[in-house]
Amino acid sequence: MSVPPRTRFEAVVRPVTGQFVVFRIDSPNFKLTKSQLARPVFALGFSGFPSIEEVEAAALAIPAFLIGIKLDDSRKASCRQATTAAAIAVLSRRVGEIYVRSRQPDYSAKHIFSGHQFAVEAWGKAS
């Protein structure tokens, strides 16, 4: 028979750096077809989008593991937007609020343009 613990504790999460990086790609102003949503974002011909090589190079500069956080309005002033290449690298390997660089990327337009931002605490020279 197990005995319940006698000690109680409370975990408090506090930012370490106080600065945050937001990874987000806004969807285009027009509706994409089903076939376009299934294609990789690189194949859609949008101007200003990086190549797959640039995205993979950006992924190497990002830590191997990131946990996303929800930002309240008071922290939005200390945010900076990641580059498009870094945002695609992170969003393509993200599931929920966790990014793992070793995951197989999903570059489909449906996944990348999901509209969900991914915010993490800044590290070193964040992209």
Side-chain angles (χ1 to χ4, degrees):
M1 180 170 161
S2 65
V3 178
R6 293 183 186 183
T7 307
R8 294 179 189 251
F9 68 92
E10 182 179 326
V12 178
V13 179
R14 292 193 174 110
V16 176
T17 65
Q19 294 188 352
F20 304 91
V21 180
V22 176
F23 298 90
R24 180 182 181 140
I25 301 290
D26 292 323
S27 56
N29 294 335
F30 53 90
K31 189 165 175 97
L32 296 171
T33 65
K34 274 188 171 184
S35 66
Q36 287 175 316
L37 287 171
R39 294 169 60 194
V41 291
F42 314 108
L44 296 176
F46 294 138
S47 64
F49 262 63
S51 67
I52 192 167
E53 293 80 16
E54 291 170 308
V55 169
E56 291 300 320
L60 295 176
I62 298 169
F65 183 79
L66 297 172
I67 298 175
I69 59 171
K70 294 187 190 242
L71 293 174
D72 56 28
D73 290 336
S74 66
R75 293 185 178 168
K76 290 187 180 176
S78 61
C79 292
R80 65 179 174 208
Q81 190 77 23
T83 64
T84 303
I88 292 172
V90 167
L91 296 176
S92 68
R93 292 169 173 87
R94 165 194 165 182
V95 175
E97 295 302 316
I98 297 176
Y99 158 83
V100 179
R101 185 174 45 205
S102 62
R103 277 196 179 119
Q104 185 68 25
D106 179 357
Y107 292 126
S108 69
K110 181 178 180 181
H111 186 75
I112 300 299
F113 294 135
S114 68
H116 302 292
Q117 74 177 14
F118 185 72
V120 299
E121 212 166 337
W123 67 93
K125 290 187 174 197
S127 298

